[in-house]
Amino acid sequence: MKITPTKPFILRCFLISLFLSLPFLFLHLFSPQQPNNTITTTTTTSSKTTTKDLTIRPGYSSYEAYIQRQLNKTLNPKLRKIWTTRDWNRKIPVFAKFFSELKSKNLLTNTSKALCIGARVGQEVEALRRIGVVDSIGMDLVPYPPLVVKGDFHNQPFDNNTFDFEFSNVFDHALYPHKFVAEIERTLKPNGVCVLHVALSRRADKYSANDLYSVQPLVELFKNSVLVHVRGVDGFGLDTEVAFRKKPPFR
């Protein structure tokens, strides 16, 4: 005898199955979803560094556009004339004073092999040589022989562990601060010293690529160095001097 289920019976079965499946439905909809084989990171080696106290200025469509903007300043004939005349005589004694004070703190010696990063026409290099640090050279996008060789501070043209001392007052021009610092740490010898002059209390010029608001981002960027010195300075619009010493290799 064939039994045909009635409609009320079928409806009851449907409602019971729906009721039993509701917990599984809610579990699927509201539980956290994990992406398959995906790792999310806040930064990558090719990304621009941005934190609360270090921001990258927008407006560059490519690295080539960034370089061209920096060259617009470096190759400006009026600026180059000022750098080699009025500023030459005005700035070298000030740089010499800064470097002499670093010597008194044992952060620089006459035997140091020194590099000045973003040296333009080499005022800092000349200052180092005048106080006895004769093995000194500068680096910039545009060379200025014999004081300054051509080089990009995002990719220095020097071997690992080359310098005992590196100085720069152009950190604000770095589009990729992590690369800027990584290249310093690569080319510094173990126990070598890097000194930066930066602006914390005011914004830098229109050619700057980043804005720094505290020393902390620098501490985080110098992964293979220790902070050894901070002080206020009056450095041609830059107000803070920060020094790091590269850690010796683990044995």
Side-chain angles (χ1 to χ4, degrees), residues 51-66:
T51 67
K52 179 174 69 73
D53 286 342
L54 175 59
T55 59
I56 305 302
R57 295 186 182 182
Y60 297 108
S61 58
S62 65
Y63 190 69
E64 290 71 23
Y66 156 77

Side-chain angles (χ1 to χ4, degrees), residues 14 23 42 44 99 174 181 201 220 251:
F14 171 75
T42 55
T44 66
F99 295 141
V181 171
S201 63
E220 295 171 1
R251 296 187 184 277

Side-chain angles (χ1 to χ4, degrees), residues 23 48-49 56 61 63 66 99 106 113 141 149-150 158 162 174 188 192 204 206 208 212 219 225 229 234 236 243:
K48 301 174 189 176
T49 305
I56 305 302
S61 58
Y63 190 69
Y66 156 77
F99 295 141
N106 296 318
K113 184 178 181 66
L141 290 172
V149 299
K150 183 177 181 179
F158 306 110
T162 296
L188 267 181
K206 65 180 182 180
S208 298
L212 182 68
V219 174
S225 306
H229 166 73
D234 183 6
F236 313 110

Side-chain angles (χ1 to χ4, degrees), residues 1 5 15 27 48 51 68-69 94 101 105 131 149 162 177 179 187 199 215 238:
M1 177 178 177
L15 291 174
L27 182 64
K48 301 174 189 176
T51 67
Q68 186 56 54
R69 181 164 176 78
V94 178
E101 291 167 348
K105 299 179 186 298
I131 66 165
V149 299
T162 296
K179 288 186 176 182
T187 56
V215 172
L238 306 177

Side-chain angles (χ1 to χ4, degrees), residues 6 130 165 167 189 216 242:
T6 64
R130 288 187 186 184
F165 178 84
F167 170 80
K189 297 177 183 178
Q216 186 56 36
V242 188

